[in-house]
Amino acid sequence: MPCVLGLDSSTQSLSAILLDLDAREAIADYSVDFDERLGAKYGVENGVLPNDDPQVKHSPPQMWLEALDLLLGDLKSQGVNLSQVVAVAGSGQQHGSVYLNPRGVTLLGQLDPHLGLADQLDGCFSRETSPIWMDASTWRECQEMTEALGGPKAVAELTGSCCFERFTGTQIRRFWKSETDDYDRTARIHLVSSFMASVLAGAEAPLDPGDGAGMNLMDIRTKAWSPAAIEACAPRLRSKLPPIAPADTVVGPIAPYFVEKYGFSPDCKACVWSGDNPNSLVGVGLVSSGKICLSLGTSDTYFGYMPEAQVDPAGEGHCFGSPTGAYMSLICFKNGSLARERVRDAYGMDWPAFSAALRATPVGNGGRLMLPYFDTEIVPNVLEPKVWRFGLDEADGPANCRAVVEAQQLSMRIHSRWMGVDSTTIYATGGASANREILEVMANVHNAEVYQFPVGNSAALGAALRAAHAWYKGNGDEQPWEQIVSGYAEPVAASRLAPDPASAAVYNELIPVYNACEDHALRGGPDPAPLQEAFRAK
Ligand code: XUL
């Protein structure tokens, strides 16, 4: 019974999905929550280290290592037979980076099964904490790299995206500028994905073009490091970066550490990892054009498959590599689940009460709107956290619940226009996709049918399916992607939620009002109150 393992090292947890390739079903689906299991030791909140500066968001890389030991130890003690795993691949939160000193690079090849991963790699990091995708502290470095590369359009054409604060290149530049000695003693800069893949392989792993596109350092068309972007980023950088290799590359056999400690077979193949979004693309079966996925996780992302590289003219969205060798379009909204939770908690609610609040309030919320920038926001770009309320009383719990959900969906609708995708069908995934009331708002705002998935963690599932693809290919039995995903990454037909025409019409009227609120708050546009009044009067 050959099995493949997909791991997902995300902001708040490390998860695993084990697929039985003969039975074509998931036989284990398990997660280690960082706060719950390691929060006291590492001092994290929602997986992130607290910082007085709301723009700075780092996590401890040793916590990710310790979580890997915990997760595999738990699976083993639950009786999961890891010797049947023929290939393992993974998903890393995108953009985050890990900085190894020369000792760290050497030790990766000498992992001792009698010690824990976090303990033996202690002292191996030239930067103790890892900047992650939520970090917004590199505005200046974005300007500098953009200027050096000939302006925003030129950067986007070259790398697939304009310079963004969270993108790894701008983070590396800031490190070089502010901690030059530590930068100089850095032997290797990994992404979260290539770092975790290196640990599993016990050897330095490449990163893939899906995750590489989140750095502003890779040429999006050749899928190789761009000398110009590297030059604009930091000196002596090229030799510190790992190679880039296709997502179905096998790095090597799994390290003896995992064979001795957890019972993996020495023949188990350790494959290249990718970012959570490229993995999710496969995990929801988007291996050809036509449909859109909306992932409601720590970040909310809106993405789809693209056959050719296409860049957002407005500069807000991204073009990443797809694990199939093609491309994907993506827009990332930072105020996702944590914003929903902030509203829920502010009114002492649980999720059933939050859903009841959505049911009890009218579609369109009577024109009461929120701009939910609880944290700095990526799209639209907001560097000072601030929650804006327009005609919305902060004391009114139910109206605020509806306002945050409607704001998120309206913003996605507005900022996704550049993709030009006919999204009459939306695949919903991520934790909050279990909430039917939220999906109802989604269906009506986008005027599209919405489907749920049996497996909530599409990133871990996508990683497992990539491991399967690499394994079949390595056996000389390469299978088309449609066949790889079939039966695993398919929406639940009975979950179909059709838009209600009257509600969709209300949102069509509300879109310009929401747009005007954004315009007023972020670009000094006119007061949106008259538009809100006109909306209410209709
Ligand atoms: C995508 C992004 C987030 C992270 C979350 O560009 O920043 O979706 O990948 O882990």
Side-chain angles (χ1 to χ4, degrees), residues 11 93-95 133 166 276-277 299 301 318 320 330 332:
T11 319
Q93 53 168 307
Q94 288 201 257
H95 317 294
W133 67 275
R166 71 194 190 286
D276 51 349
N277 294 296
S299 63
T301 53
H318 314 299
F320 293 156
L330 177 132
C332 179

Side-chain angles (χ1 to χ4, degrees), residues 13 27 73 76 97 182 192 220 241 244 255 294 302 316 343-344 374 379-380 398 415 421 439 441 508 511 524:
S13 59
I27 52 173
K76 188 179 167 193
S97 42
D182 290 340
V192 176
I220 192 68
L241 295 172
I244 303 173
L294 242 161
Y302 183 108
E316 289 179 337
V343 173
R344 181 199 66 180
F374 289 90
V379 175
H415 293 282
V421 183
L439 297 196
V441 176
N508 271 342
I511 285 171

